[in-house]
Amino acid sequence: MATNYESRYASSPEATKKLDTDALRKEFLISNLMEKGKINLTYTHYDRYIAGGAVPDQPLKLETIDPLKTEYFLERRELGIINVGGSGSVEVDGTSYELDPKDALYVGQGAKEVVFKSKNAHKPAMFYLNSAPAHSSYPTKKVGLNDANKLELGSLETANHRTVNQMIIGGIVTTCQLQMGMTQLKTGSVWNTMPAHVHDRRMEVYFYLDVPEGQSVCHFMGQPQETRHIWMQNHEAVISPPWSIHCGSGTSNYTFIWGMAGENLDYGDMDVAKIKELR
């Protein structure tokens, strides 16, 4: 079986305050996502969200996992995919979708067979996966990076000049609750999602990529008045609970993929945490 998984339970703000560095990383950091020849998934009890990676050196079929209690993976779920490796394809119930680097694909509830393939096994595709429970079936749709809705935010003066590429989001793709996109920081900028915010109506997962060799990103989380941090490397993800801020600063510019699910689909649903009030 090429599909592996682990489960993570939800933690309260009070419990999280008491965690040391190692415990904090075990609770929220997701490592070893991209292993050749494997599909690795993390099932979190925050909104029953799944984050994972698939790196096919030969075709890899997405199989159901025990927590879902379903015949096939997408029986009651929807799936978002963004390719962060070499060129590849995703076959959905016999229809093939070619995904170049940084292309995305939405797969609706009810698709019975999802197979990941690389164009070149020596430079394999790396498919980053997000999945959330779904109540309706919507069409599978490819979204290239050029098809994204682009927001230019921040400035070089505040070290947070960035392009937000909204990809799997209303107006581009119809989904039940899953939203995904990719934020690219400009050269000389290191801060993402600053000013920080929380949104108690939904949770989020960040996946960091394009982190140069020898560099790192410091991801900040926790309640605005009780923040914590996790040092992260390339191709690692971090779970962000609804009560937590989620922002970061790198030792270089980088890219990150955000994915979220929860109570609504309003991208602007944010409770901003003022910079001078962070603790």
Side-chain angles (χ1 to χ4, degrees), residues 69-113:
K69 305 299 183 187
T70 56
E71 181 182 342
Y72 54 96
F73 189 89
L74 293 177
E75 186 173 327
R76 295 193 296 269
R77 289 188 155 264
E78 56 188 353
L79 175 67
I81 304 163
I82 298 180
N83 183 11
V84 300
S87 295
S89 63
V90 180
E91 188 175 292
V92 181
D93 288 342
T95 300
S96 184
Y97 299 87
E98 302 293 325
L99 296 186
D100 288 328
K102 296 189 166 82
D103 284 348
L105 183 71
Y106 171 78
V107 185
Q109 176 201 9
K112 290 188 175 180
E113 187 170 87

Side-chain angles (χ1 to χ4, degrees), residues 42-55:
T42 295
Y43 178 98
T44 171
H45 286 258
Y46 292 107
D47 286 298
R48 307 288 172 171
Y49 205 82
I50 293 175
V55 185

Side-chain angles (χ1 to χ4, degrees), residues 126-142:
M126 296 182 180
F127 297 108
Y128 176 60
L129 317 175
N130 280 190
S131 176
H135 57 269
S136 296
S137 179
Y138 294 113
T140 296
K141 184 176 180 179
K142 175 183 172 179

Side-chain angles (χ1 to χ4, degrees), residues 214-256:
Q215 306 301 313
S216 297
V217 177
C218 188
H219 181 86
F220 293 89
M221 62 164 296
Q223 292 177 295
Q225 71 277 13
E226 190 81 31
T227 60
R228 298 289 186 270
H229 68 270
I230 298 176
W231 281 98
M232 302 187 61
Q233 308 306 316
N234 198 43
H235 290 173
E236 290 186 326
V238 61
I239 300 165
S240 179
W243 45 262
S244 175
I245 65 167
H246 36 281
C247 62
S249 183
T251 56
S252 172
N253 63 314
Y254 52 91
T255 301
F256 71 97

